[in-house]
Amino acid sequence: MLRLAVLLGVLHLFAVFPFRRETPVSGAVTLPIGTLFFRWSQRLLLDGRVSWRALPPGAVCTTLGLLGPRVLSRLAFSPPIASGAVTYGPFGAFLVIQTWLVAVGVVVFGGALTGRLADEEPSRPTRAGRRRR
């Protein structure tokens, strides 16, 4: 339980930290900070069972993958919320935001999974034609 409280505290600090404001440097700062955050959070949530050296591919994939929902929310997030609110009331706006949160969850899971696959050593064929791991 303490691990999740620490994770939520760090997420809160990232949300209110000044580098999140839109400046020319924010994009260049967000990528390394996000990579460090996802590397650390994977280590924390996995209880140290995975080495630090195995975590960077997943952290980089997750950080780069989150650019998709970030760009999508800037380009096309307000109209669906407004139309959902008009059509279905507050529940419509809630459904749009929930859809966005599911997309972010898929990206976070997919980034970690892609990093795991990227970290694995590729199998090599042996002389007998069987694959070795």
Side-chain angles (χ1 to χ4, degrees), residues 59 68 81 91 109 111 118-119 122-123:
I81 288 179
F91 187 68
F109 177 76
D119 184 60
S123 58

Side-chain angles (χ1 to χ4, degrees), residues 11-93:
L11 277 173
H12 176 72
L13 288 176
F14 275 127
V16 298
F17 200 66
F19 73 84
R20 296 293 298 166
R21 308 299 181 258
E22 293 304 318
T23 63
V25 183
S26 67
V29 172
T30 302
L31 186 63
I33 296 292
T35 301
L36 287 173
F37 170 74
F38 283 112
R39 185 178 182 194
W40 171 77
S41 65
Q42 288 175 9
R43 177 77 174 185
L44 178 77
L45 292 173
L46 292 170
D47 197 25
R49 287 179 243 156
V50 177
S51 70
W52 283 105
R53 292 179 58 197
L55 297 174
V60 169
C61 290
T62 303
T63 304
L64 291 175
L66 285 175
L67 289 175
R70 183 177 183 180
V71 169
L72 184 65
S73 66
R74 286 186 182 241
L75 297 176
F77 198 55
S78 294
I81 288 179
S83 68
V86 167
T87 307
Y88 301 107
F91 187 68

